[in-house]
Amino acid sequence: TSFLWEEAKHVEVFRRFLDEVAGVQEDLNHYHTESYRQIFYEALPGAMSRLLIEPSPVAQAEASVTYNMIVEGVLAETGYYGFYNTLERNHILPGLLQVTGKLKQDESRHIAYGVYLLSRLVAEHGQPVWLAIESRMNALLEPALGVINEIFAAYPEMPFGLDLDEFLNFALNQFQKRMDRIERAKSQTLQEVETIALEAL
């Protein structure tokens, strides 16, 4: 799918940057903090693997929340927001700035798909799915914000004058916008969800 192709291209662009521009050879696992591991080593593979044996609406919803709403919608978007703004404000690495702009566009499409999928599941299957979404979103918010906090905590002085509160506020705003949008599906029919999605294209 185009979704998978785009994700592969994201990996490629950062791998090439690290290899060909930054010349990074070291193992980067030390950047995987406790909160990062909680999401990427436990919650994400657990939710995705579950689909192989239990592709129920609730399992689909929890997997989509984990990937589309938390990994992409909170962490990736916040990271790209900070990365893009840092490059732009400091007038550095124009090629990477352009690439990051394209990555942001890709993520927006992925997140929009996640909102659509979750809205469909809520409209079609009702309260059990909504409660699963709400529970999963709330459970993963703390470690998602923990990733941001732990990144800042690793630096005695944050480069480029980056501000922790700006990042946390951005992440929380993205989280709440998606929650509000998905919650509206509780009072929508499946047809209404489809119509809204088509109008947004």
Side-chain angles (χ1 to χ4, degrees), residues 86 120 138 156:
T86 297
R120 273 186 56 97
N138 289 330

Side-chain angles (χ1 to χ4, degrees), residues 21-74:
V21 180
V24 173
Q25 301 296 325
E26 65 183 286
D27 186 341
L28 301 177
N29 282 341
H30 61 278
Y31 289 107
H32 295 182
T33 63
E34 181 180 347
S35 295
Y36 181 98
R37 289 173 181 272
Q38 188 176 341
I39 293 174
F40 287 92
Y41 286 39
E42 298 171 19
L44 182 60
M48 294 301 174
S49 297
R50 178 184 173 193
L51 293 175
L52 296 173
I53 56 173
E54 185 200 340
S56 67
V58 165
Q60 290 177 48
E62 290 182 349
S64 180
V65 163
T66 306
Y67 188 71
N68 300 122
M69 299 298 103
I70 297 298
V71 170
E72 292 189 305
V74 175

Side-chain angles (χ1 to χ4, degrees), residues 10 12 20 24 41 70 85 92 107 131 139 145 149 151 192-193:
H10 297 179
E12 181 186 19
E20 300 172 22
V24 173
Y41 286 39
I70 297 298
N85 287 344
I92 55 176
E107 294 300 342
L131 290 175
L145 296 179
N149 276 298
I151 288 170
E192 287 171 330
V193 169

Side-chain angles (χ1 to χ4, degrees), residues 2-21:
S2 61
F3 197 136
L4 292 174
W5 181 82
E6 287 170 356
E7 294 294 7
K9 297 301 286 184
H10 297 179
V11 172
E12 181 186 19
V13 74
F14 285 116
R15 184 69 266 167
R16 289 188 63 187
F17 176 80
L18 289 171
D19 291 343
E20 300 172 22
V21 180

Side-chain angles (χ1 to χ4, degrees), residues 75-88:
L75 293 177
E77 275 214 320
T78 302
Y80 289 142
Y81 164 82
F83 197 35
Y84 186 90
N85 287 344
T86 297
L87 297 175
E88 187 175 50

Side-chain angles (χ1 to χ4, degrees), residues 76-93 96-101 104 159-163 166-167 169-171 174:
E77 275 214 320
T78 302
Y80 289 142
Y81 164 82
F83 197 35
Y84 186 90
N85 287 344
T86 297
L87 297 175
E88 187 175 50
R89 290 170 186 168
N90 292 279
H91 309 289
I92 55 176
L93 300 171
L96 192 56
L97 175 67
Q98 184 178 6
V99 166
T100 306
K104 283 159 52 76
F160 301 107
L162 299 179
D163 178 61
E166 179 184 357
F167 280 71
N169 288 334
F170 181 86
Q174 300 305 96

Side-chain angles (χ1 to χ4, degrees), residues 83-141:
F83 197 35
Y84 186 90
N85 287 344
T86 297
L87 297 175
E88 187 175 50
R89 290 170 186 168
N90 292 279
H91 309 289
I92 55 176
L93 300 171
L96 192 56
L97 175 67
Q98 184 178 6
V99 166
T100 306
K102 299 296 185 185
L103 296 176
K104 283 159 52 76
Q105 291 174 359
D106 290 348
E107 294 300 342
S108 292
R109 286 193 300 275
H110 301 173
I111 294 161
Y113 170 75
V115 169
Y116 163 72
L117 172 61
L118 291 167
S119 297
R120 273 186 56 97
L121 289 169
V122 170
E124 188 171 2
H125 300 285
Q127 190 72 353
V129 169
W130 165 249
L131 290 175
I133 290 170
E134 186 177 43
S135 175
R136 188 72 167 181
M137 289 281 281
N138 289 330
L140 293 178
L141 177 60

